[in-house]
Amino acid sequence: MLDGISKSLTDIFRNMSGKSVINENNIKSAIQEIRIALLEADVNISVVRSFVKFVTEESIGEKVIRSVNPREYFIKIVNDKLVEILGSKNQDIILKPKDTLSVIMLAGLQGSGKTTSAGKLAYYLKKKEERKILLAACDVYRPAAIDQLIRVGEIADVEVFTGDKKDPIKIAKEALKYARENKFDTLILDTAGRLHIDVDMMNEVQKLAKETKPDEVLFVADSMTGQTAADIAKEFDNYLGVSGIILTKFDSDARGGAALSIKSVLNKPIKFIGVSEKVDGLEVFYPDRIASRILGMGDIVSLVEKAEEIYDQEEAEKLEKKIRKSEFTLQDFLDQLNQMNKMGSIENILEMIPGMKGRMGDINIDEKKIARQKAIIQSMTMREREDFRLIMGPRKRRIAKGAGVTILDVDNLLKNFQKSRQMMKNVIKGKGKYGNLDMGKMF
Ligand SMILES: Nc1nc2c(ncn2[C@@H]2O[C@H](COP(=O)(O)OP(=O)(O)OP(=O)(O)O)[C@@H](O)[C@H]2O)c(=O)[nH]1
Ligand SMILES: [Mg+2]
């Protein structure tokens, strides 16, 4: 899935990179092409409109054209909106603690993948969360539906409750009782599908939900049905109160309309995707990963993101000035350490500072050491952080005690801090030994 839209978007961006300058016209025509690509992928029209509106507003004007890398910046804007329409962040399945029975109900049209997903979900929850799962066969209409669930249960190695094989509501009630008596912690209800939404079917699932009070009602949607999946999901939601979506057949060559429409139309998260027919073919849905897959430009996006989020030009310049004037304080140092967790490495941060790029030696960062350094600075008062010279005898002892380290550790931190401060200053002023800034010692 998503190959088509992915290719269209990548082509649009590639085309942009062939241009010598990126101006408003290039961007406008790229947005127009994106609009067509989304429509071709069968994305819901209102979703497309909101997409185009956002990207236009964000990218027309000075901001993009004047940025360091207009094309990359533009890609990032598109990426952000993609992530948003896919659901912003991953939403977990929410169940009760294992000492109380949780109920998951699967609903959806015929052939959407409910029974297969029931097995996958059982397998997933058993393996991932060590849950004790009972599957209940509440589809009594289609011939062989019960046998199919029994087979699925065998493969996932979980028990299947079939009851009288006649009355879905009765089966569900009995399954609940059986699950409680036998200390199962999760009951998954496989329900019947129909070719179209009809009143009888809706009444039945509604009644099932009423009787079992599910913790999760997952609407199982077939990606192949495109944006129609979103409309059907909405109908189900009106009757049932859907809590999330399993998007099946993500491995198919569907165009992407379902994935890109359903969250916005329904305002309910996609929780899982089905990626094969096999029992382990269920994956947790991560909007940002899918967006990167669509754009095929994860690297660019994360780079722009880092540069933007962590250190914009202004901040980098401020830092440079501080270093130059020896005003770089322990508090700044602490901020750097905190940033490091976000950026992954001090090298990345420092490279944002003009003149620093490529002038640092190998940096080996020891996580534990960083945590200790942070603890030490956090034990200092604000005044001490601003002026390290205050830190003498009793203060030193108090700080060491607060951070659970020795006085020697505090001394080392202060020594390294001063040394590094001087080194950074030298590098910026062009006096430093190039490639020899031993930041590793500092951290
Ligand atoms: N490739 C692929 N096939 C899937 C996936 N999920 C389900 N299928 C296939 O889709 C078909 C229908 O799946 P079922 O699980 O029987 O669907 P259902 O919703 O229970 O169908 P009814 O009980 O008839 O309503 C089967 O052939 C499954 O193997 C998936 O994620 N990927
Ligand atoms: Mg079924």
Side-chain angles (χ1 to χ4, degrees):
M1 181 152 161
L2 305 174
D3 290 350
I5 176 93
S6 177
K7 181 162 184 322
S8 313
L9 292 181
T10 335
D11 284 349
I12 295 167
F13 295 137
R14 189 167 308 129
N15 200 5
M16 276 180 102
S17 66
K19 305 263 187 305
S20 54
V21 280
I22 304 280
N23 55 33
E24 216 158 272
N25 284 339
N26 307 147
I27 292 177
K28 273 187 186 150
S29 70
I31 293 175
Q32 188 52 24
E33 288 171 46
I34 292 173
R35 185 177 162 274
I36 294 166
L38 291 172
L39 289 171
E40 277 173 355
D42 194 26
V43 178
N44 177 288
I45 181 75
S46 62
V47 179
V48 176
R49 280 204 195 108
S50 126
F51 198 101
V52 167
K53 185 164 175 274
F54 176 86
V55 175
T56 308
E57 278 169 9
E58 288 295 304
S59 54
I60 300 292
E62 300 283 283
K63 224 160 82 188
V64 167
I65 302 167
R66 293 208 150 212
S67 67
V68 189
N69 293 304
R71 179 177 156 271
E72 277 79 358
Y73 200 120
F74 179 70
I75 294 173
K76 164 140 170 34
I77 292 169
V78 173
N79 175 76
D80 287 354
K81 188 63 187 172
L82 263 186
V83 174
E84 190 199 308
I85 66 171
L86 286 165
S88 296
K89 56 177 195 290
N90 154 256
Q91 303 245 357
D92 272 337
I93 185 161
I94 301 165
L95 301 176
K96 294 194 193 88
K98 289 184 199 161
D99 53 3
T100 324
L101 181 67
S102 300
V103 178
I104 302 168
M105 188 169 134
L106 301 181
L109 290 186
Q110 196 174 79
S112 57
K114 295 177 296 299
T115 308
T116 314
S117 299
K120 289 175 178 178
L121 200 54
Y123 180 81
Y124 171 86
L125 290 172
K126 195 177 92 166
K127 213 170 143 193
K128 259 283 175 50
E129 300 186 12
E130 293 176 353
R131 284 196 164 254
K132 191 178 172 205
I133 319 263
L134 181 67
L135 286 172
C138 300
D139 176 5
V140 295
Y141 306 103
R142 194 167 57 81
I146 297 174
D147 292 341
Q148 188 195 349
L149 190 70
I150 292 174
R151 248 195 343 271
V152 159
E154 272 167 15
I155 298 169
D157 194 22
V158 297
E159 196 175 330
V160 178
F161 185 90
T162 55
D164 74 355
K165 302 190 179 176
K166 283 196 191 96
D167 176 358
I169 311 290
K170 196 166 157 222
I171 297 171
K173 276 199 211 161
E174 285 173 8
L176 265 181
K177 189 161 170 269
Y178 181 83
R180 288 204 178 101
E181 281 169 5
N182 293 280
K183 303 252 174 313
F184 286 90
D185 55 46
T186 313
L187 172 65
I188 302 177
L189 307 174
D190 179 32
T191 66
R194 295 284 194 283
L195 270 176
H196 302 284
I197 295 166
D198 64 57
V199 178
D200 286 348
M201 176 203 188
M202 284 303 179
N203 286 342
E204 185 184 294
V205 279
Q206 205 173 33
K207 208 160 169 206
L208 266 176
K210 223 171 170 176
E211 291 293 340
T212 57
K213 298 193 183 56
D215 298 82
E216 288 272 5
V217 176
L218 299 177
F219 177 74
V220 180
D222 179 341
S223 328
M224 310 275 279
T225 50
Q227 60 166 300
T228 316
D231 300 330
I232 302 165
K234 209 158 171 64
E235 294 263 2
F236 271 80
D237 188 39
N238 288 340
Y239 272 88
L240 275 178
V242 165
S243 62
I245 295 143
I246 299 182
L247 200 54
T248 62
K249 307 180 200 176
F250 213 78
D251 50 321
S252 69
D253 57 3
R255 287 170 294 169
L260 290 163
S261 308
I262 206 161
K263 154 71 183 35
S264 302
V265 171
L266 191 64
N267 203 19
K268 296 286 160 66
I270 302 172
K271 296 201 169 180
F272 295 98
I273 47 177
V275 294
S276 81
E277 291 187 278
K278 300 213 186 79
V279 74
D280 61 355
L282 187 76
E283 285 178 9
V284 172
F285 183 74
Y286 291 100
D288 50 344
R289 289 187 202 166
I290 300 295
S292 304
R293 229 163 83 186
I294 294 174
L295 291 181
M297 304 207 173
D299 293 352
I300 288 185
V301 171
S302 57
L303 265 175
V304 174
E305 235 155 47
K306 273 181 192 167
E308 209 187 317
E309 247 180 49
I310 317 294
Y311 259 100
D312 60 22
Q313 198 67 18
E314 217 173 294
E315 255 184 281
E317 276 164 20
K318 243 194 264 167
L319 183 64
E320 187 200 342
K321 213 182 254 169
K322 277 190 157 179
I323 295 171
R324 234 178 234 285
K325 291 188 175 169
S326 289
E327 281 169 3
F328 185 80
T329 66
L330 281 159
Q331 181 59 43
D332 296 322
F333 185 35
L334 179 63
D335 292 342
Q336 303 297 306
L337 291 173
N338 286 329
Q339 300 282 12
M340 274 177 65
N341 291 349
K342 284 198 230 163
M343 294 269 293
S345 106
I346 188 72
E347 199 172 5
N348 287 344
I349 300 174
L350 292 175
E351 286 204 344
M352 305 271 173
I353 301 173
M356 277 291 200
K357 208 175 166 78
R359 290 189 186 178
M360 288 162 295
D362 281 342
I363 298 174
N364 287 316
I365 295 162
D366 174 349
E367 294 287 332
K368 263 198 213 136
K369 208 167 152 190
I370 293 177
R372 194 162 57 222
Q373 310 269 37
K374 272 165 67 171
I376 297 174
I377 303 176
Q378 275 156 350
S379 299
M380 298 173 185
T381 63
M382 243 1 192
R383 272 193 62 207
E384 288 162 350
R385 292 182 206 182
E386 295 303 324
D387 185 1
F388 67 94
R389 279 167 296 235
L390 291 174
I391 303 169
M392 311 275 245
R395 285 183 192 254
K396 225 179 257 176
R397 224 179 350 262
R398 193 205 74 238
I399 292 165
K401 204 166 159 222
V405 299
T406 62
I407 291 184
L408 190 67
D409 288 327
V410 180
D411 278 335
N412 280 337
L413 170 97
L414 292 173
K415 226 185 286 163
N416 287 333
F417 165 71
Q418 288 174 68
K419 210 166 115 195
S420 308
R421 206 164 85 128
Q422 191 53 46
M423 278 197 288
M424 286 198 282
K425 192 172 161 183
N426 289 346
V427 170
I428 284 179
K429 289 197 165 170
K431 293 191 293 195
K433 282 174 266 166
Y434 288 10
N436 196 23
L437 179 58
D438 191 3
M439 299 295 292
K441 282 225 176 73
M442 184 164 167
F443 302 101

